[in-house]
Amino acid sequence: VRAEVTAVVDGALRLVDSHCHLDDERFDEDRAEVLDRARAAGVSGLLLVGVMDGRGGHLKALALAQDLGFPVAVGIHPHEARHASAAAYDEIVGLARDGRIAAIGEIGLDFHYDLSPRAQQEQVFRQQLRLARQLGLPVIIHSRTADDETATALEQEAARELGGVIHCFTGGRPFALRALALGFSVSFSGIVAFPRAETIRDVARLVPADRLLIETDAPYLAPPPHRGKRNEPAFVTRVAEQLAELRGVGTPAIAQLTSDNAQRLFSATFGH
Ligand SMILES: [Zn+2]
Ligand SMILES: [Zn+2]
């Protein structure tokens, strides 16, 4: 409701949700309504992220992206590193060569949940960074409780040549500065509006305007006042509002520049 009100008041919001899992089964019942609400809130485009889990988990995201005309990224999530295989890497190469993916991701390190062994996460992450370089694709980075290791891998694998984004940024200044030095963008989710996220808000003030992205990571991480419920792309307006407040500019300006940045980073058209 709040999202729709914002769109009416501002009139010309044009937002891109740069990272969402619209293929998630939690959207199976009402995906069309979710997309209607997103459009009503001014979300003109979104990037789908398909997780390769060794069981074809990304295929639904690929199919949906094609049906709906949205760009899509696929990659072996750090949680799924133990399911990585030569076939999965070959599949990424094939999809890239067919022009079906806008980025490789999400890839990275997650030492919070440790769902795959850390050494394997590192190896699979670096392998995909090398693939991205061969294929000329940007990368979408997931880093949780592993910011130093993630930044080191990016530096050692010369990720500056790839371009990419640290998605759902939850780190501090040191990680942000290392990512920015590599030419990376930083994407904020609804977490930036959580009461105790002062460290993240500090980073949200310092990221240069041309490196700023917004996302929902839906169905995860709904921002206040929806916290704890299913997240959806319409709520990316809340992220834009929070960034506007932190940076002392209008929400339409944040919407416009983050949309432009997403379009440039992913070489994709998000408008309709
Ligand atoms: Zn993630
Ligand atoms: Zn995600």
Side-chain angles (χ1 to χ4, degrees):
V1 172
R2 175 171 187 155
E4 285 161 32
V5 170
T6 305
V8 170
V9 171
D10 294 328
L13 279 192
R14 179 177 159 266
L15 293 139
V16 168
D17 180 357
S18 73
H19 187 120
C20 66
H21 301 275
L22 197 65
D23 58 319
D24 192 278
E25 61 183 15
R26 275 171 274 181
F27 294 118
D28 284 352
E29 296 272 304
D30 63 344
R31 193 169 284 109
E33 286 91 333
V34 166
L35 283 167
D36 284 347
R37 282 196 292 274
R39 277 185 210 104
V43 180
S44 63
L46 43 86
L47 182 101
L48 270 78
V49 179
V51 173
M52 298 181 89
D53 57 5
R55 301 179 297 280
H58 60 299
L59 298 176
K60 190 171 163 190
L62 283 168
L64 268 177
Q66 192 153 35
D67 287 354
L68 299 168
F70 294 130
V72 60
V74 300
I76 304 167
H77 192 288
H79 289 342
E80 308 292 345
R82 68 207 147 100
H83 300 299
S85 64
Y89 297 132
D90 286 349
E91 194 180 348
I92 292 173
V93 172
L95 289 166
R97 298 235 156 106
D98 292 345
R100 292 191 61 195
I101 51 175
I104 297 181
E106 50 190 295
I107 62 174
L109 302 172
D110 193 313
F111 294 171
H112 177 74
Y113 287 107
D114 278 326
L115 296 186
S116 285
R118 291 183 179 186
Q120 208 167 5
Q121 290 189 39
E122 281 262 3
Q123 191 243 322
V124 171
F125 178 30
R126 286 171 185 256
Q127 179 68 31
Q128 291 180 98
L129 290 173
R130 288 168 205 154
L131 272 185
R133 179 168 326 103
Q134 282 170 30
L135 297 166
L137 284 175
V139 287
I140 299 169
I141 304 298
H142 171 108
S143 176
R144 182 120 193 238
T145 328
D147 292 350
D148 184 42
E149 293 86 347
T150 299
T152 300
L154 290 173
E155 287 159 4
Q156 289 177 351
E157 299 296 336
R160 163 171 273 293
E161 297 159 25
L162 312 176
V165 57
I166 311 295
H167 111 86
C168 191
F169 190 85
T170 53
R173 251 178 209 243
F175 182 39
L177 293 175
R178 286 170 80 181
L180 290 169
L182 286 167
F184 270 57
S185 298
V186 179
S187 179
F188 295 93
S189 69
I191 291 179
V192 76
F194 286 5
R196 282 196 291 270
E198 208 42 65
T199 306
I200 300 169
R201 281 190 283 278
D202 169 59
V203 173
R205 289 184 195 97
L206 70 82
V207 172
D210 62 345
R211 309 279 198 88
L212 198 62
L213 293 184
I214 53 176
E215 66 176 278
T216 57
D217 205 13
Y220 313 106
L221 302 171
H226 311 284
R227 198 170 175 183
K229 302 200 194 105
R230 183 188 71 175
N231 198 1
E232 61 177 68
F235 299 162
V236 79
T237 48
R238 182 72 192 88
V239 184
E241 287 166 6
Q242 179 72 54
L243 288 183
E245 193 184 314
L246 289 170
R247 297 168 71 98
V249 297
T251 305
I254 291 291
Q256 186 66 49
L257 73 90
T258 53
S259 296
D260 291 346
N261 292 344
Q263 197 149 318
R264 201 173 55 249
L265 177 61
F266 298 117
S267 306
T269 310
F270 288 98
H272 286 294

